[in-house]
């Protein structure tokens, strides 16, 4: 229902550089984390608390190990305390059991929170997409949206699950072990931790690099999704114009870019471990030297030193994991900010607070001085005035781009007028609930949109409570019952993606049946028969008659057969009605319509649909 060419397969062109509305740079990392925490994790605070407690217990048991080692060395080996020899193994098994239980709990709760986080983000994205303005969704390439679900969301999941464990559990472990080191010998401990500030500075730099390359790789993945969906949708054109090589080349360029950015990320991420390790290695070497010196010439006992060294060594792995988590965190934050860019998209077509359902006893439509412009362009409608009386059939004709589809879009409130108002049975549709406005009209377009589901589900779409009898009745009225019954599984036949297992006429008749069942008082037709050949059109004619009977109809017409059904014909040019009247009146007047009739319907010139494009 956009411009004419919006409905037809596009020539496959690589997603242009256009505005990438899925990337936002103005949400800071702290803001993203605060929102993830507040909006998604906080509602699950009990599980979160369980995760934190089990992580803390796990970390504390790690802190206990150096002390056990110290006791073993000093009391068992040096002081020969036999009683402790029996007690210690029990203590160790006890500590390990607690550690095991805490570990299990923390891993499971952590995974749960990560999964819930992503599930929640996906649900919220989907809700936003379905509630969003058509204009925004149409402007953004569908591949980019798909990519947000399949590429961005898992990055957040991975980052969330890993960083939480790393930051909380490993962070606490580092703190406990560092505490143990300081408790045992503050001078040695100082030597070990002296390198940490440098490691921190290095990490900060890496984090910035990583977030830059991750942002680019996710954007490229979005482009990949766009190109993929676009190529699949227009494969016929790609093949017909022999552009396979060109498309493949474009695809390869994007894939290469992704690999390049992913490798950049991998290199920055990989540098984190060795650098932190090298810095702590230097610290530990210094501590060993100083501790050993004190052992030979000073007062440090073997147990003391062994305990200390265990603490220092045990600090390594969690420290490295904390460091790496910083990198992962910036990946997650970058991906999450792309997701928030979708979730935060505010719809402009909204329901007023306290909006009531629209009552449509008659189905009278009034356009009062309606003006409209799409966000991205100049005025499309100006001072558009039109009254469609109940049961009347009004046809809009005019060159492509005149604004005919836009008029239908406005009745459904896919967009709101920029000035003036639209009334249905006396009520401004902006004051009614969106659901009731959309329920008032049934829309039939040139390309009937079917879902990859059964014939029955497609007919019952939007009228889920309809029983078998009404579905069959609707199908009969739409002249669809017979061909449906000839299909292998009748009403249970699955129609394929977009209904591609059916012919154009069959798809259209199923769409008619859907509209019949819906039984809306107003019918909006975007010339549903214009894409059909003469034979298929003849078959749907009867169905069309039944559908039109007793309803208010606003239709876009390109064909004489459609125009002839209309009580009133409005000729549109550049967003205005330039002529109106019945077919005979307009012909008699000899104006724009008469001229159009001669060129278009008598077949001397290109069709009306392309006359203005
Ligand atoms: P018609 O149905 O008469 O061919 P449309 O109502 O589709 O005309 O389009 C009227 C004008 O609005 C055209 O110039 C078209 O390019 C523009 N237009 C249509 N849909 C959109 C859209 N979603 N965003 C921006 N401009 C649009």
């Amino acid at each position: 229902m956009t411009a004419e060419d919006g409905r037809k397969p596009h020539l496959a062109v690589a997603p242009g550089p256009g505005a990438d509305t899925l990337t936002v740079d103005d949400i800071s990392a702290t803001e993203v984390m605060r929102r993830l925490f507040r909006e998604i994790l906080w509602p699950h605070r009990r599980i979160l608390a369980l995760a934190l407690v089990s992580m803390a217990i796990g970390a504390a048991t790690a802190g206990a190990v150096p002390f056990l080692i110290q006791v073993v060395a000093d009391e068992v080996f040096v002081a020969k305390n036999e009683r402790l020899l029996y007690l210690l193994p029990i203590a160790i098994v006890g500590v390990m059991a607690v550690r095991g239980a805490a570990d299990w709990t923390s891993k499971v709760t952590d995974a749960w929170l990560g999964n819930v986080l992503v599930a929640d983000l996906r649900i919220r994205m989907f809700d936003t997409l379905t509630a969003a303005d058509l204009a925004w969704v149409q402007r953004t390439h569908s591949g980019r949206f798909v990519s947000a679900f399949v590429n961005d969301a898992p990055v957040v999941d991975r980052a969330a699950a890993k960083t939480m464990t790393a930051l909380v559990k490993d962070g606490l472990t580092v703190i406990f072990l560092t505490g143990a080191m300081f408790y045992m010998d503050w001078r040695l401990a100082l030597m070990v931790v002296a390198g940490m500030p440098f490691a921190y500075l290095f990490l900060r730099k890496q984090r910035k690099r990583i977030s830059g390359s991750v942002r680019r790789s996710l954007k490229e993945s979005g482009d990949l999704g766009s190109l993929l969906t676009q190529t699949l949708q227009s494969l016929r054109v790609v093949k017909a114009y022999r552009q396979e090589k060109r498309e493949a080349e474009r695809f390869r360029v994007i894939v290469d870019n992704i690999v390049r950015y992913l490798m950049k990320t991998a290199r920055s991420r990989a540098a984190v471990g060795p650098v932190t390790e090298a810095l702590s290695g230097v610290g530990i070497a210094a501590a060993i030297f100083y501790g050993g010196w004190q052992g030979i010439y000073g007062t440090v006992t073997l147990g003391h030193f062994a305990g200390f060294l265990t603490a220092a060594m045990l600090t390594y792995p969690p420290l490295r994991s904390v460091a790496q988590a910083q990198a992962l965190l910036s990946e997650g934050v970058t991906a999450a900010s792309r997701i928030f860019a979708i979730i935060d998209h505010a719809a402009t077509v909204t329901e007023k607070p306290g909006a009531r359902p629209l009552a449509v006893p008659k189905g009278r439509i009034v356009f009062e001085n309606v003006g409209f412009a799409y966000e991205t362009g100049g005025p499309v409608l100006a001072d558009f005035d039109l009254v469609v009386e109940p049961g009347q059939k009004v046809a809009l004709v005019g060159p492509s781009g005149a604004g005919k589809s836009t008029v239908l879009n406005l009745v459904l409130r896919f967009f709101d007028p920029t000035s003036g108002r639209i009334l249905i049975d006396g009520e401004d549709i902006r004051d009614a609930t969106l659901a009731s406005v959309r329920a008032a009209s049934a829309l039939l377009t040139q390309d009937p949109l079917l879902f990859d589901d059964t014939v029955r589900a497609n007919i019952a779409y939007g009228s889920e409570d309809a029983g078998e009898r009404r579905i069959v009745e609707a199908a009969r009225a739409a002249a669809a019952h017979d061909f449906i019954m000839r299909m292998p599984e009748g009403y249970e036949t699955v129609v394929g993606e977009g209904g591609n297992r059916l012919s154009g006429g069959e798809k259209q008749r199923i769409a008619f049946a859907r509209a019949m069942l819906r039984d809306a008082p107003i019918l909006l037709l975007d010339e549903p028969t214009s894409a059909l050949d003469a034979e298929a059109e003849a078959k749907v004619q009867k169905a069309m008659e039944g559908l039109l009977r007793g309803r208010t109809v606003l239709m876009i017409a390109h064909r004489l057969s459609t125009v002839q059904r209309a009580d009133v014909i409005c000729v549109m040019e550049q967003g205005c009605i330039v002529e109106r009247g019945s077919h005979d009146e307009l012909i008699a007047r000899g104006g724009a319509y008469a001229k159009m009739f001669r060129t278009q319907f008598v077949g001397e010139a290109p069709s009306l649909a392309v006359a203005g494009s």
Side-chain angles (χ1 to χ4, degrees):
M1 284 285 304
T2 60
E4 294 293 329
D5 56 358
R7 276 179 225 115
K8 291 168 189 152
H10 285 261
L11 260 176
V13 281
D20 182 357
T21 45
L22 298 194
T23 307
V24 278
D25 296 321
D26 52 355
I27 305 186
S28 73
T30 4
E31 172 68 12
V32 170
M33 285 196 286
R34 228 189 48 204
R35 287 189 53 185
L36 286 177
F37 182 77
R38 195 183 53 211
E39 295 173 21
I40 301 176
L41 292 181
W42 188 242
H44 306 291
R45 50 190 172 276
R46 285 199 192 151
I47 301 283
L48 186 66
L50 185 62
L52 295 181
V53 168
S54 56
M55 284 179 200
I57 293 174
T61 52
V65 175
F67 289 102
L68 286 172
I69 301 277
Q70 184 184 4
V71 176
V72 172
D74 280 346
E75 298 298 319
V76 179
F77 278 86
V78 181
K80 315 283 182 205
N81 182 339
E82 202 188 318
R83 202 171 66 88
L84 264 181
L85 182 62
Y86 296 116
L87 283 180
L88 274 171
I90 298 173
I92 288 177
V93 170
V95 168
M96 289 307 167
V98 172
R99 188 180 167 78
D103 246 17
W104 187 89
T105 314
S106 70
K107 285 217 170 78
V108 173
T109 45
D110 205 28
W112 191 84
L113 287 170
N115 290 333
V116 162
L117 184 87
V118 171
D120 207 278
L121 288 176
R122 282 187 169 139
I123 289 171
R124 289 175 55 182
M125 269 198 288
F126 195 80
D127 287 350
T128 314
L129 281 188
T130 46
D133 297 331
L134 215 52
W136 176 65
V137 178
Q138 281 173 348
R139 215 169 45 233
T140 311
H141 202 290
S142 58
R144 296 237 165 108
F145 286 125
V146 172
S147 172
F149 284 86
V150 299
N151 294 324
D152 300 349
V155 175
V156 180
D157 177 25
R158 204 182 55 210
K162 289 209 181 136
T163 50
M164 195 144 57
T165 327
L167 293 181
V168 178
K169 186 174 148 217
D170 296 336
L172 280 176
T173 309
V174 170
I175 291 171
F176 283 136
L177 287 170
T178 312
M181 282 195 283
F182 272 95
Y183 179 77
M184 288 173 171
D185 194 318
W186 65 270
R187 277 161 308 199
L188 289 181
L190 265 186
M191 287 181 190
V192 173
V193 302
M196 284 187 186
F198 297 103
Y200 174 75
L201 287 180
F202 173 75
L203 278 179
R204 231 179 45 179
K205 217 169 105 202
Q206 290 307 84
R207 227 170 39 205
K208 285 207 181 107
R209 273 199 197 145
I210 289 174
S211 105
S213 49
V214 165
R215 175 165 298 137
R216 279 189 214 112
S217 74
L218 288 176
K219 183 185 172 304
E220 293 283 336
S221 301
D223 287 350
L224 189 82
S226 306
L227 186 60
L228 190 62
T229 40
Q230 199 163 271
T231 310
L232 288 178
Q233 277 164 9
S234 37
L235 205 55
R236 285 174 62 196
V237 183
V238 172
K239 283 183 181 297
Y241 285 77
R242 295 197 312 279
Q243 294 297 304
E244 296 93 329
K245 270 208 185 115
R246 188 159 142 262
E247 295 306 321
E249 180 54 33
R250 271 176 210 202
F251 198 79
R252 203 160 45 234
V253 168
I254 299 183
V255 169
D256 285 349
N257 280 341
I258 294 180
V259 170
R260 212 176 65 229
Y261 291 126
L262 285 180
M263 284 317 296
K264 224 171 149 180
T265 315
R267 277 196 299 274
S268 305
R269 202 197 287 153
V272 170
V275 170
T276 20
E277 233 156 73
L279 282 170
S280 2
V282 171
I284 290 188
I288 289 182
F289 178 78
Y290 181 73
W293 185 273
Q294 289 293 320
I296 298 172
Y297 302 107
T299 51
V300 172
T301 65
L302 173 63
H304 192 90
F305 187 61
F308 181 85
L309 215 55
T310 311
M313 295 288 190
L314 282 180
T315 318
Y316 257 168
L319 186 65
R320 196 175 53 194
S321 129
V322 171
Q324 280 165 347
Q326 304 282 324
L328 260 180
L329 190 66
S330 59
E331 288 178 30
V333 164
T334 310
S337 70
R338 285 169 62 84
I339 291 176
F340 279 130
I342 297 183
I343 290 177
D344 291 352
H345 185 83
T348 49
V349 176
T350 49
E351 217 164 77
K352 283 187 183 166
R356 281 199 318 271
L358 187 71
V360 194
K362 301 196 190 95
R364 181 171 192 264
I365 315 171
V366 179
F367 291 80
E368 265 182 23
N369 277 325
V370 169
F372 180 74
Y374 289 99
E375 246 174 75
T376 47
V380 173
L381 297 182
D383 287 334
F384 186 88
D385 275 307
L386 176 66
V387 179
V388 188
E389 296 296 344
Q392 201 178 31
K393 279 122 196 80
V394 172
L396 301 172
V397 301
S400 171
K404 304 180 295 293
S405 310
T406 305
V407 172
L408 301 198
N409 282 338
L410 291 178
V411 177
L412 285 162
R413 265 200 96 192
F414 288 155
F415 307 94
D416 278 336
T418 21
S419 60
R421 54 186 196 150
I422 298 170
L423 311 169
I424 291 181
D425 282 347
E427 195 173 343
D428 189 330
I429 56 175
R430 275 173 303 194
D431 296 334
T433 60
L434 277 172
S436 67
V437 170
R438 293 188 184 148
S441 310
L443 170 71
L444 285 170
T445 56
Q446 288 183 358
D447 183 14
L449 292 171
L450 300 190
F451 297 89
D452 187 5
D453 204 336
T454 59
V455 169
R456 174 196 310 278
N458 268 294
I459 295 179
Y461 192 78
S463 325
E464 277 74 13
D465 52 350
E468 178 71 22
R469 201 176 52 82
R470 284 186 54 215
I471 292 178
V472 174
E473 250 171 35
R476 274 189 208 281
H481 180 73
D482 292 342
F483 87 79
I484 294 173
M485 291 313 285
R486 277 199 299 275
M487 291 197 293
E489 287 162 81
Y491 282 83
E492 302 309 322
T493 312
V494 174
V495 301
E497 186 178 347
N500 59 16
R501 287 185 208 145
L502 304 177
S503 77
E506 290 169 344
K507 280 197 278 189
Q508 203 54 273
R509 278 178 279 164
I510 289 187
F512 281 10
R514 181 193 290 164
M516 285 277 189
L517 189 59
R518 176 86 171 274
D519 201 20
I522 297 169
L523 203 55
L524 303 173
L525 305 179
D526 188 355
E527 185 102 271
T529 56
S530 69
L532 303 181
D533 54 42
E535 197 190 352
E537 191 183 356
K539 283 189 190 148
V540 299
Q541 282 309 338
K542 207 177 109 245
M544 182 75 118
E545 299 298 331
L547 197 58
L548 298 191
R549 203 169 305 127
R551 291 176 223 275
T552 306
V553 181
L554 189 54
M555 55 189 163
I556 297 176
H558 297 282
R559 292 191 172 191
L560 185 59
S561 54
T562 320
V563 178
Q564 280 172 336
R565 271 198 209 103
D567 304 316
V568 179
I569 296 163
C570 297
V571 183
M572 282 185 72
E573 267 171 28
Q574 293 176 0
C576 302
I577 297 178
V578 290
E579 256 182 20
R580 64 183 97 198
S582 70
H583 176 75
D584 296 339
E585 280 166 19
L586 291 178
I587 292 288
R589 189 179 301 168
Y593 180 79
K595 192 165 149 241
M596 215 179 271
F597 179 76
R598 281 198 305 276
T599 53
Q600 155 103 21
F601 303 136
V602 183
E604 295 166 6
S607 90
L608 188 61
V610 290
S613 52

